[in-house]
Amino acid sequence: MTHTKNWLSNITPRFHITLFWVVCLCCCFNAHAQKNDTIILKNKDRLIGEIKEMDKGVLIIETDYSDSDFNVKWLDIKQLNSKQTFLITLRNGDRLNSMLQTDSINGGRVVLYDVTEKKYIYTSVHDIVYVKSIKQGFISRLDASLSIGVNLTQSNNFKQFTMRSTLGYTANYWSMQGSYNAIKTKQDNSNDISRTDASLGLRVFLKRDYFLNLSGELLQNDEQQLDLRLTTKLGFGKYFVHTNKLYFGGVIGVAWNNERYEPILNSDRNSAEAFSGIELNMFDIKDFSLLTNAVVYPSLTEKHRVRSDIKLDLKYDLPLEFFIKFGFTYNYDRRPPEGANKEDYVLQATFGWEL
């Protein structure tokens, strides 16, 4: 310990100053190195900065000369020069750790260098559907949104609160998606009404746009006298269309369904089900985007029982990441317990913000 103290005491102030400037220069160099991506648009505008992500047909680039990031349509880019390594997803489902070479986008042709396989790949600008800077941290891979709505009327002292929320994380070869939606209603001379649905899913991406899906879904619904339905699903799916304008895919699999109804019905259930579903995500409709999915559950253990769930979200983007969302949810059960409704639907209009 004495030798260490003596060594430290021999370090001169001049050395400290030199070390300080070396660190500063390194930081400056690193910051400059991170923001030397160059983009030339079809209208000959030039942007220099750091490419963060391209998703749903829009590329995000951060620059030193603007407080906010630039959003550029991917198909409006004529040339691109970057030395970063990106996670790139192609239209056929291939996922690469690749560099976008200097002047790589030229006349619609793109030259990629796969840093894992150590080879060049030639494709087109239309065939690249997702780009993400690999060096970015945990927070940059998150996608989240929260929207709420409130209705108040003097008649019967009516109060209603609605909420829709999503949370997602995208890694190199898998993604995780979650959602939580709720509606609570109170009014005089009537029972309170509530409905809650939530989901959490893990998707593992395979070659040629195939994927494995493991998910859990929860539903509480007063209208169907359902205290809790927990459905665990394992499925295998594929994106049939995967472009810069829309995603369209399907999935099939098996599910285990655990249900607990209100005590008055005395009809708790455990059952095995098959399921098949489709999903459509359209996002190149100016400021509008549409996400809808439908799933059918034919029971394997209860004769003639079939369930179905349909969801639809229509979103209108506002400035500063705010949005207005219209949501529709429909649930159907061909053979519910005696005394419970076969179907229920919810319409929601909410205002929110997304990360």
Side-chain angles (χ1 to χ4, degrees):
M1 181 66 70
T2 302
H3 292 294
T4 303
K5 290 182 178 179
N6 291 336
W7 180 82
L8 290 173
S9 64
N10 289 331
I11 298 179
T12 64
R14 185 175 182 180
F15 176 82
H16 289 303
I17 296 173
T18 303
L19 181 61
F20 171 79
W21 284 111
V22 169
V23 172
C24 289
L25 288 172
C26 289
C27 292
C28 292
F29 177 79
N30 185 56
H32 175 75
Q34 291 177 352
K35 296 191 177 183
N36 61 356
D37 300 335
T38 302
I39 294 174
I40 301 176
L41 305 180
K42 290 180 179 179
N43 63 4
K44 298 184 180 180
D45 285 348
R46 181 187 297 264
L47 295 173
I48 299 176
E50 180 184 2
I51 294 174
K52 298 172 67 176
E53 180 183 25
M54 189 282 287
D55 189 21
K56 299 178 181 178
V58 176
L59 183 139
I60 301 173
I61 180 169
E62 179 183 1
T63 66
D64 291 329
Y65 43 84
S66 176
D67 292 334
S68 58
D69 297 338
F70 283 94
N71 292 346
V72 180
K73 277 197 171 184
W74 178 248
L75 297 182
D76 286 343
I77 297 174
K78 181 180 180 180
Q79 294 183 355
L80 186 150
N81 176 8
S82 177
K83 295 182 180 179
Q84 291 193 67
T85 300
F86 300 95
L87 168 62
I88 296 177
T89 303
L90 301 181
R91 189 173 182 174
N92 63 6
D94 289 347
R95 299 170 70 84
L96 314 169
N97 288 340
S98 175
M99 296 175 62
L100 291 171
Q101 295 295 96
T102 303
D103 296 332
S104 57
I105 300 179
N106 191 359
R109 191 181 78 159
V110 181
V111 182
L112 304 176
Y113 180 71
D114 189 333
V115 297
T116 303
E117 300 293 333
K118 306 295 184 184
K119 64 179 182 180
Y120 288 95
I121 297 173
Y122 299 89
T123 182
S124 72
V125 62
H126 296 276
D127 286 335
I128 298 178
V129 297
Y130 182 76
V131 176
K132 185 79 170 182
S133 176
I134 289 179
K135 66 180 179 59
Q136 295 198 26
F138 176 81
I139 297 297
S140 67
R141 292 174 179 254
L142 286 176
D143 296 297
S145 69
L146 173 65
S147 58
I148 60 175
V150 178
N151 295 317
L152 301 173
T153 62
Q154 185 175 357
S155 177
N156 293 327
N157 196 25
F158 178 84
K159 303 181 183 70
Q160 186 179 69
F161 172 81
T162 66
M163 180 176 73
R164 298 182 78 84
S165 62
T166 62
L167 179 65
Y169 179 82
T170 303
N172 288 7
Y173 298 102
W174 59 271
S175 69
M176 185 170 288
Q177 298 290 331
S179 67
Y180 179 85
N181 307 314
I183 180 169
K184 307 287 183 181
T185 302
K186 291 185 178 183
Q187 61 179 330
D188 295 342
N189 304 318
S190 179
N191 294 330
D192 295 348
I193 298 175
S194 69
R195 185 187 189 282
T196 303
D197 67 85
S199 66
L200 181 64
L202 173 67
R203 182 163 293 185
V204 179
F205 301 108
L206 307 174
K207 292 184 176 181
R208 300 186 181 278
D209 253 357
Y210 289 98
F211 59 85
L212 295 175
N213 198 82
L214 175 64
S215 63
E217 298 177 353
L218 178 148
L219 175 65
Q220 176 276 322
N221 190 346
D222 287 347
E223 179 68 19
Q224 294 179 302
Q225 301 184 51
L226 184 63
D227 279 346
L228 178 67
R229 172 184 289 149
L230 181 61
T231 305
T232 305
K233 302 191 296 185
L234 176 63
F236 177 75
K238 177 177 174 57
Y239 289 109
F240 305 117
V241 181
H242 197 169
T243 71
N244 289 303
K245 295 181 179 291
L246 64 89
Y247 299 164
F248 176 66
V251 61
I252 59 173
V254 293
W256 178 254
N257 191 28
N258 183 284
E259 297 171 315
R260 186 172 71 246
Y261 288 87
E262 293 181 2
I264 192 173
L265 298 180
N266 191 28
S267 185
D268 295 349
R269 296 177 175 180
N270 293 308
S271 61
E273 300 172 319
F275 76 89
S276 63
I278 57 173
E279 180 175 283
L280 173 65
N281 189 352
M282 302 176 64
F283 38 80
D284 191 16
I285 323 173
K286 293 187 177 180
D287 291 326
F288 286 94
S289 60
L290 174 71
L291 174 62
T292 182
N293 59 67
V295 185
V296 178
Y297 301 87
S299 179
L300 300 176
T301 57
E302 297 181 79
K303 191 174 181 180
H304 302 308
R305 187 185 185 193
V306 178
R307 297 191 303 108
S308 63
D309 295 330
I310 299 174
K311 293 183 180 180
L312 183 148
D313 281 322
L314 178 64
K315 188 179 73 169
Y316 179 72
D317 292 324
L318 301 171
L320 303 176
E321 307 300 335
F322 289 101
F323 63 86
I324 298 173
K325 180 178 286 188
F326 299 93
F328 172 74
T329 305
Y330 176 80
N331 303 106
Y332 172 79
D333 189 343
R334 183 179 179 183
R335 296 191 63 187
E338 186 175 351
N341 291 335
K342 285 187 176 182
E343 59 185 355
D344 181 45
Y345 70 88
V346 174
L347 286 169
Q348 294 173 278
T350 55
F351 173 81
W353 181 81
E354 62 185 345
L355 173 67

